[in-house]
Amino acid sequence: MASGHFQVEAALLMLPLVMLVLNSGGGSAAGAVVPAVIVFGDSTVDTGNNNHIGTTLRSDFPPYGRDMPGGARATGRFGNGRLPPDFISEALGLPPLVPAYLDPAYGIGDFARGVCFASAGTGVDNATAGVLSVIPLWKEVEYYKEYQLRLRAYAGAERARAIVRGALHVVSIGTNDFLENYYMLGTGRFAEYTVAEFSDFLVAGARRFLSEIHRLGARRVTFAGLAAIGCLPLERAENMIHGGGCIEEYNRVAREYNAKVEAMLGGLRAELPDLRLAYVPVYDTMLDLVTNPAKFGLENVEEGCCATGRFEMGFMCNDEAPMTCADADKFLFWDAFHPTQKVNRIMANHTIDICYQQGLL
């Protein structure tokens, strides 16, 4: 009986992806509608850029990638398999993996159909990227400019412009600004700003970023809000003195930040009417997963699958770590910070639904 329930649940999770391909008329037609997926942000969407820079924040080793399609491969994705942009790309009739821009295994022919500039550990605040020496958001934009020059040389000016304008730009960033930067105290931002002022600072930075990529040609953009960051296993572990529950202060900050982001996006839409800009309410989706796990076939929403699941991520989540779970599909989190491939598919489905509802697709 349980097995049947999970099969039905899996089928339901796939529906938005299937419907998108059907409505687009199959792979070739979908590719014509959305020629590429272009990705900015942090580890939630980094498909391997950190493998190629001088940082300790990497995941190019087992058991990361153990459930990748075609067999275990640690690609630098922070999870047991694919990330949301990969699922979105596949649903649009594009390749099932979005290549990292710094990966020398790929060239401009690949990037013409999808490219990722994201870097695990980065944030809207430049100071966030400095904590673990990763790619700051401004540098992701510089790579985007360089990419467009290469694209023009490869496809011609007119086709390159059409690819960029038609592409779905996926942006997921912000968690590290709070958890790695503001609350870790190392950058000094906590002394410069109240948390509300810091939120305003970040929202203003996000607005400048979105205005800049619009100036460079982006016309279809999804922008993810913060998840319920107080419910990440790492934060629950820090809250053990109070029973290991979610840290409500962090969740409240996420909700307040998200409200400001939504307001900012509304203002930007009014200012730039040719920009189709969708807000993705990741907080609501995550809260649903945490409070209604059985609905999604999940059994553990408090700990990660890797090792003890309480604090391990990056180098602490490795092949020698004991206790790693056998079936990551039963878990919300893969390590103490990042979702499992199953949850990434759910997030991708919701993003696609929102794109339909708001006219991006």
Side-chain angles (χ1 to χ4, degrees), residues 47 68-69 73 77 81-99 106 113 341:
T47 59
M68 285 290 287
R73 260 186 315 144
R77 289 167 171 80
R82 292 194 283 168
L83 301 182
D86 299 316
F87 290 114
I88 292 169
S89 178
E90 182 178 44
L92 294 170
L94 295 165
L97 298 176
V98 178
Y106 297 95
R113 303 185 73 201
Q341 177 174 243

Side-chain angles (χ1 to χ4, degrees), residues 28 35 97 126 139 173 178 181 200 250 265 309:
S28 60
L97 298 176
N126 290 333
K139 184 64 175 178
I173 199 164
F178 289 98
N181 176 345
D200 292 339
Y250 290 178
L265 297 180

Side-chain angles (χ1 to χ4, degrees), residues 309-328:
R310 295 178 183 272
F311 62 88
E312 294 92 348
M313 60 173 283
F315 281 116
M316 288 188 289
C317 171
N318 59 65
D319 232 10
E320 305 301 316
M323 300 173 61
T324 297
C325 77
D327 184 0

Side-chain angles (χ1 to χ4, degrees), residues 178-194:
F178 289 98
L179 298 185
E180 182 186 301
N181 176 345
Y182 191 87
Y183 285 113
M184 287 297 285
L185 311 184
T187 65
R189 292 301 196 199
F190 74 99
E192 293 179 62
Y193 302 104
T194 65

Side-chain angles (χ1 to χ4, degrees), residues 167-298:
L168 183 64
H169 293 67
V170 176
V171 185
S172 178
I173 199 164
T175 300
N176 299 313
D177 289 304
F178 289 98
L179 298 185
E180 182 186 301
N181 176 345
Y182 191 87
Y183 285 113
M184 287 297 285
L185 311 184
T187 65
R189 292 301 196 199
F190 74 99
E192 293 179 62
Y193 302 104
T194 65
V195 69
E197 290 168 344
F198 188 60
S199 288
D200 292 339
F201 170 75
L202 295 178
V203 171
R207 191 183 199 284
R208 286 192 299 273
F209 161 77
L210 291 168
S211 298
E212 177 66 1
I213 65 169
H214 170 267
R215 187 185 68 79
L216 295 169
R219 293 296 180 269
R220 295 171 166 176
V221 183
T222 70
F223 193 94
L226 291 186
I229 57 178
C231 294
L232 298 176
L234 191 63
E235 310 315 319
R236 285 179 180 268
E238 291 179 8
N239 200 33
M240 287 308 293
I241 192 169
H242 298 297
C246 300
I247 299 179
E248 175 52 28
E249 178 195 351
Y250 290 178
N251 283 351
R252 176 181 52 77
V253 166
R255 290 192 300 270
E256 292 171 355
Y257 168 83
N258 288 342
K260 292 175 180 179
V261 165
E262 282 200 83
M264 176 271 287
L265 297 180
L268 208 50
R269 286 190 205 100
E271 182 182 316
L272 304 170
D274 63 344
L275 176 60
R276 284 176 280 176
L277 181 55
Y279 172 73
V280 182
V282 178
Y283 188 101
D284 299 340
T285 305
M286 183 171 167
L287 208 61
D288 195 17
L289 290 160
V290 168
T291 55
N292 302 294
K295 184 168 85 171
F296 302 95
L298 300 174

